[in-house]
Amino acid sequence: MRERINSMRLFQKKFTWAILYGLLLVSFTLYVALDTFVITRVYSVLPTDESGGSLNSSEAGASVNSSGENTEETSETATEQSNVLQLTESVVVTENSYSDTNISITITEYREYDTTIYVADVCVSSAEYLQTAFAQNSFGQNITEKTSVIAESNNAILAINGDYYGSQRTGYVLKNGVLFRESASKDQEDLVIWPDGSFEIITEGDISVSQLLENGAIQVLSFGPALVMNGSVSVSESEEVGKAKASNPRTAIGIVDDLHYLLVVSDGRTDESEGLTLYQLAGFMQSLGADIVYNLDGGGSSTMYFNGEVINNPTTNGNSIKERSVSDIVYIGY
Amino acid sequence: MFISDTKAQKRHIAKTGFVYLLVSLFCVLFGAVYEHFSHEVYSGYMIYAFMFPLAGGALPFAALSLYGSIRLPGRLPLNLYNAGIAALTVGSIMEGVLEIYGTTNNLLQIYWSIGFGLAGISFLLYAIGLLAGKKIKIQKENL
């Protein structure tokens, strides 16, 4: 009883309470900051092929679960690798283009709205060459690597930063036909890539990711918003004030026609390039003939990698040109 | 324990209100500087974080110190209330930081729960104190 009274008195003491509570609050805030930005948690590691890259959906198969077990025989992978070796003879690479029998990429630099915009016009013979990859080949929290590093480890020909799934605790994560995160963010607009390479914009509140997987979805990108839908700009100037109206480096992916894609990255936050608003980016991509365009993670994350080099000027604060580490990439490769 | 109406306590309440005003000004300044470097990504949580110490601290404490007839809260509800407002203010700033960065964290819910919870308990204790005080007064009058 006496102890209880003493503890009550402790709580009533002016400075004891303030100091104890202040320490608790500061410690908790520090932990929240560390948990958000620093503490790494690996939930699953993807199986890798012999060349070090992660297995894509056709290699890994839809039966690969989130724990990373591969149930498919590896003979198919070996056959595909020998096909790739045969392709090397027909590869033509220039400073701003790449082509072989399955993939054709042309990089063009545009200058719009006081900003340099890098457009990769991509044509592929199959949707399997449009892939995604995780940093460190692992799904988890605060697992990041530079876009160029992830691209190199996956032998990507062309790569852009992805949806940075790691910055969100909710939102679908379905990559290369494997489901990693099911928790929906009700109003979140996602881009679904189907096995035939076609795009569709869905809202997470309307359909579960399990259903999407069952329907055959290969990739789900969860960032947004959709910039162009059915050839029309779907984001207005007044929408999302504070985000859409701000000029920033941007990354987006669009589809022009069957298996014909546009991967776009703009510079920004520098003296040379102001950056784009979402509305400007949407209008620009519409002018290139895109039917569906989806916004990916931008700002300091915006990076385009082509033939072993970063070709844009990634920057977080405009003071230095430096790649930011991200959770995932979208890439073209085998 | 739950209420107090001494002159010293009234001075303390006025001083606390002034501290809350300073905290509000700090939050305005912090939010403005943070938003200045946020590349035009805005967060209501960051911009309006100052409202917690202002509307929840400076204004009510100024009112309490001005209206002499109102019985003042004692040390326990006062400590709990201050702790609640502190949690809400820090929570709002953290929510703003994460929103501007473009991320979320479920742990942020704890700030809101603790903040509103402590402020609620403090109100309850103050109300109990006021009611008990009234009862004693009536009993004394009846005697």
Side-chain angles (χ1 to χ4, degrees):
Chain A
M1 186 67 183
R2 188 171 288 174
E3 278 176 17
R4 223 170 139 185
I5 289 166
N6 285 340
S7 64
M8 283 297 280
R9 277 181 186 158
L10 178 74
F11 279 105
Q12 286 180 68
K13 276 187 183 173
K14 193 175 157 188
F15 293 113
T16 316
W17 168 260
I19 289 166
L20 282 177
Y21 183 75
L23 277 174
L24 194 72
L25 197 60
V26 168
S27 307
F28 179 69
T29 302
L30 201 66
Y31 177 74
V32 171
L34 287 172
D35 184 60
T36 308
F37 301 113
V38 181
I39 298 169
T40 299
R41 292 192 179 97
V42 178
Y43 300 136
S44 58
V45 179
L46 271 69
T48 54
D49 61 19
E50 285 169 9
S51 60
S54 61
L55 294 172
N56 66 24
S57 61
S58 61
E59 290 162 342
S63 57
V64 173
N65 59 30
S66 59
S67 64
E69 292 166 16
N70 183 8
T71 56
E72 194 96 342
E73 289 178 15
T74 52
S75 58
E76 200 179 320
T77 310
T79 314
E80 285 190 11
Q81 279 175 347
S82 67
N83 287 342
V84 173
L85 289 174
Q86 285 169 10
L87 282 171
T88 52
E89 289 173 14
S90 61
V91 170
V92 179
V93 182
T94 69
E95 197 185 338
N96 53 13
S97 72
Y98 173 98
S99 72
D100 62 33
T101 49
N102 295 313
I103 297 170
S104 159
I105 300 167
T106 308
I107 308 285
T108 311
E109 263 184 53
Y110 291 82
R111 188 77 191 161
E112 300 274 345
Y113 308 106
D114 284 329
T115 299
T116 305
I117 308 169
Y118 308 83
V119 177
D121 191 300
V122 178
C123 290
V124 288
S125 62
S126 163
E128 69 183 283
Y129 306 120
L130 175 59
Q131 301 180 62
T132 55
F134 287 138
Q136 298 173 34
N137 213 25
S138 305
F139 170 70
Q141 189 183 309
N142 289 322
I143 301 172
T144 59
E145 265 180 334
K146 289 175 180 170
T147 296
S148 57
V149 174
I150 310 173
E152 270 169 35
S153 57
N154 285 278
N155 304 317
I157 301 161
L158 169 75
I160 54 172
N161 60 290
D163 58 7
Y164 210 141
Y165 77 86
S167 70
Q168 303 295 330
R169 301 296 161 95
T170 58
Y172 299 162
V173 180
L174 194 162
K175 308 284 184 193
N176 302 322
V178 182
L179 175 57
F180 293 93
R181 191 166 69 196
E182 291 188 66
S183 55
S185 182
K186 199 183 155 200
D187 299 320
Q188 172 63 42
E189 269 185 344
D190 288 355
L191 173 70
V192 179
I193 303 176
W194 298 105
D196 63 355
S198 62
F199 283 9
E200 186 184 349
I201 303 294
I202 58 106
T203 304
E204 292 189 0
D206 294 342
I207 185 166
S208 71
V209 71
S210 314
Q211 188 60 53
L212 288 171
L213 184 64
E214 210 176 295
N215 295 349
I218 299 297
Q219 315 282 354
V220 174
L221 296 170
S222 182
F223 196 88
L227 303 177
V228 175
M229 286 205 276
N230 301 320
S232 305
V233 172
S234 56
V235 62
S236 71
E237 268 185 295
S238 58
E239 238 172 74
E240 291 181 299
V241 175
K243 287 182 182 171
K245 286 185 85 173
S247 295
N248 275 308
R250 300 284 181 186
T251 303
I253 184 169
I255 186 165
V256 178
D257 210 341
D258 291 346
L259 302 174
H260 181 189
Y261 307 100
L262 296 173
L263 277 63
V264 174
V265 164
S266 84
D267 283 341
R269 297 178 182 171
T270 62
D271 294 338
E272 290 77 28
S273 290
E274 191 184 337
L276 300 177
T277 67
L278 290 182
Y279 186 75
Q280 288 169 340
L281 178 60
F284 172 73
M285 292 202 60
Q286 186 196 30
S287 73
L288 297 178
D291 187 47
I292 294 175
V293 178
Y294 188 75
N295 181 56
L296 294 169
D297 183 25
S301 301
S302 286
T303 307
M304 183 177 277
Y305 168 97
F306 178 65
N307 276 342
E309 283 179 10
V310 173
I311 59 171
N312 68 315
N313 296 297
T315 181
T316 297
N317 51 25
N319 297 330
S320 60
I321 305 302
K322 195 179 166 191
E323 257 190 281
R324 178 193 278 176
S325 292
V326 296
S327 297
D328 54 286
I329 62 165
V330 176
Y331 74 97
I332 303 290
Y334 290 97
Chain B
M1 192 196 324
F2 298 156
I3 56 167
S4 167
D5 49 8
T6 63
K7 274 187 179 175
Q9 181 70 353
K10 196 168 279 182
R11 271 202 302 276
H12 175 69
I13 292 285
K15 209 170 110 184
T16 309
F18 182 69
V19 171
Y20 268 121
L21 191 67
L22 292 180
V23 173
S24 308
L25 289 173
F26 172 79
C27 289
V28 170
L29 204 70
F30 182 84
V33 171
Y34 202 92
E35 289 289 358
H36 179 73
F37 293 104
S38 70
H39 304 288
E40 294 179 62
V41 180
Y42 301 113
S43 166
Y45 290 106
M46 179 62 79
I47 294 168
Y48 299 112
F50 74 92
M51 285 302 287
F52 289 105
L54 185 70
L59 296 179
F61 278 78
L64 274 176
S65 65
L66 287 174
Y67 292 98
S69 57
I70 296 175
R71 305 197 90 181
L72 303 173
R75 179 62 53 81
L76 184 61
L78 210 58
N79 280 347
L80 291 175
Y81 186 75
N82 290 340
I85 295 295
L88 292 173
T89 309
V90 175
S92 187
I93 288 173
M94 282 302 285
E95 192 95 48
V97 168
L98 267 59
E99 196 170 80
I100 288 167
Y101 186 79
T103 186
T104 53
N105 192 322
N106 294 336
L107 292 171
L108 291 176
Q109 288 300 321
I110 293 173
Y111 287 108
W112 305 114
S113 308
I114 297 280
F116 285 115
L118 290 179
I121 292 169
S122 148
F123 271 120
L124 203 70
L125 292 178
Y126 182 43
I128 290 169
L130 283 178
L131 285 173
K134 220 174 191 178
K135 232 178 198 175
I136 292 165
K137 201 177 172 187
I138 292 165
Q139 280 171 352
K140 277 180 182 171
E141 279 170 4
N142 289 341
L143 285 171

